[in-house]
Amino acid sequence: MEPAVSFISLGVRDIAAARRFYVDGLGWPVHMEAPGEVIFLQVNHGLMLSLWDRAAMAADAGVDPDGGVPAVTLSQNLPSPAAVDGALAQAAAAGAVVVAPGRSKEWGGYVAYFADPDGFRWELAYNPTWTVDDDGTVTV
């Protein structure tokens, strides 16, 4: 199995609220949508984010839909601390809860965290050592 992530699926309580946050609030374009069931957003080269009705996702995966949200942090690397602060402000304006405002880290970076309407945590980060080569190889 090759190390790759092609899809990140979030089981959301309210598809309409998730749409308002990600599409209307953050401005992320919809790739495909089954109204009331799932929204697909292309978030990077070959990477999709699906916002899927929690009960339908749980049924498909064979898990208890009331079992809670699994611990997961989605991360986005940005080109500067100012870009981190700007993205955090946009997320807050769209309805996110700021979990941790932007702050410098001992390793030379700058990070902030927010929670989307379903509580999924997003890290916004500036990492001065992070690069992605033309072939997609990441260097940290």
Side-chain angles (χ1 to χ4, degrees):
M1 181 174 176
E2 294 294 323
V5 175
S6 301
F7 251 93
I8 299 170
S9 296
L10 305 180
V12 300
R13 292 182 297 254
D14 183 334
I15 292 286
R19 189 180 211 295
R20 283 191 302 274
F21 179 77
Y22 285 98
V23 177
D24 301 335
L26 296 182
W28 293 9
V30 173
H31 178 74
M32 188 176 85
E33 182 172 2
E37 184 181 340
V38 66
I39 302 168
F40 297 100
L41 310 169
Q42 184 160 359
V43 294
N44 209 335
H45 179 80
L47 179 61
M48 300 291 286
L49 175 67
S50 69
L51 308 170
W52 197 1
D53 174 79
R54 180 185 294 233
M57 182 178 175
D60 191 63
V63 298
D64 176 7
D66 297 322
V69 176
V72 63
T73 299
L74 306 169
S75 299
Q76 186 176 108
N77 286 311
L78 296 161
S80 69
V84 169
D85 290 338
L88 185 64
Q90 184 181 8
V97 173
V98 175
V99 177
R103 63 197 182 282
S104 296
K105 300 299 285 181
E106 64 280 352
W107 44 266
Y110 185 83
V111 301
Y113 285 87
F114 70 84
D116 78 359
D118 278 277
F120 291 102
R121 296 312 200 253
W122 280 85
E123 174 194 36
L124 302 171
Y126 163 67
N127 183 336
T129 66
W130 174 274
T131 61
V132 179
D133 296 336
D134 290 341
D135 70 355
T137 302
V138 174
T139 303
V140 179

